[in-house]
Amino acid sequence: MFKKWKWFITILLVAAVMLVIRLEDQGVVDTPVRKLVTTSADLTYLSELGQSWLNQEKETIMVSSDVGQTELLTFANAKAFKEGFLLQYDVGLPVYAGQNGLVVFTGHTKYTGKTMTINYEDGTTVSYGMLDSLAQLPYTPIQTNDLIGMKEAGQLYLAIKKGDTHYDLEQMVQWLEMTETNEN
């Protein structure tokens, strides 16, 4: 009988922490819950623990089509923002890695919301911000066409830096086109 209660209490704790974090993300709660749960590994552990208890397994669907940066080139307009650009999209889109690299940051920032930063093999560092979901964890090696995250219709933040140089809009478009050319 005690095992059932322990299981139930743990599920409630996980659900409560995840709910409070969502409320914190929406600005409803001022308590810095993310600081209390100290690392993304803690959150990942709690999430995986809750999913395993609820028998919700992650499902992988294999597809065979050319994916990549092409959809990122379909933005309706762009405006400068911080070190990058806000790209406007009329429809949602998946965001894929342009080449092999290493995820160096995955998290939430004040100005760009859910953000992922990747150091690519060509020496560029690319930050994808204002994503609606993230598909990779920090310090994860990625391959060309690995899913980075999803973006619903609206603005996507994109900043590309090589060395000390931040790319302007023309350089950014050229880099996206180059990564698309290298995929085919």
Side-chain angles (χ1 to χ4, degrees):
M1 180 73 172
F2 179 71
K3 278 188 170 183
K4 284 185 179 181
W5 281 105
K6 184 178 175 184
W7 178 81
F8 181 71
I9 290 170
T10 306
I11 287 177
L12 284 177
L13 178 63
V14 169
V17 168
M18 298 304 282
L19 175 64
V20 173
I21 288 172
R22 287 195 185 264
L23 292 173
E24 179 187 353
D25 288 344
Q26 295 173 358
V28 175
V29 175
D30 292 330
T31 305
V33 175
R34 288 189 190 277
K35 290 183 180 177
L36 298 175
V37 181
T38 58
T39 67
S40 63
D42 293 340
L43 292 173
T44 302
Y45 172 75
L46 287 173
S47 176
E48 289 173 354
L49 184 63
Q51 288 179 7
S52 69
W53 287 337
L54 298 173
N55 294 326
Q56 294 179 351
E57 296 181 18
K58 294 181 180 176
E59 185 177 317
T60 303
I61 300 171
M62 298 300 292
V63 295
S64 60
S65 66
D66 291 333
V67 295
Q69 306 288 11
T70 304
E71 290 179 321
L72 290 180
L73 290 167
T74 63
F75 56 91
N77 62 47
K79 68 178 185 177
F81 182 75
K82 302 292 179 189
E83 293 88 23
F85 295 89
L86 294 176
L87 307 177
Q88 179 69 37
Y89 293 93
D90 296 331
V91 296
L93 65 145
V95 180
Y96 297 101
Q99 53 186 281
N100 298 341
L102 177 70
V103 176
V104 294
F105 175 79
T106 299
H108 192 274
T109 70
K110 182 177 180 178
Y111 297 107
T112 60
K114 288 183 183 173
T115 302
M116 183 175 298
T117 301
I118 301 171
N119 285 343
Y120 284 118
E121 287 182 346
D122 70 351
T124 56
T125 300
V126 181
S127 291
Y128 304 86
M130 298 182 176
L131 292 165
D132 294 297
S133 66
L134 301 170
Q136 302 292 330
L137 294 173
Y139 308 108
T140 304
I142 58 168
Q143 303 296 315
T144 303
N145 294 333
D146 281 354
L147 182 65
I148 293 170
M150 298 296 292
K151 178 65 192 151
E152 294 175 9
Q155 292 182 325
L156 171 73
Y157 174 75
L158 188 62
I160 302 175
K161 180 180 176 184
K162 190 166 191 174
D164 293 332
T165 304
H166 292 277
Y167 281 22
D168 62 23
L169 185 58
E170 183 179 334
Q171 292 170 311
M172 182 185 68
V173 168
Q174 289 172 352
W175 185 86
L176 290 170
E177 289 172 340
M178 180 190 70
T179 57
E180 177 62 26
T181 302
N182 291 339
E183 293 167 13
N184 296 326

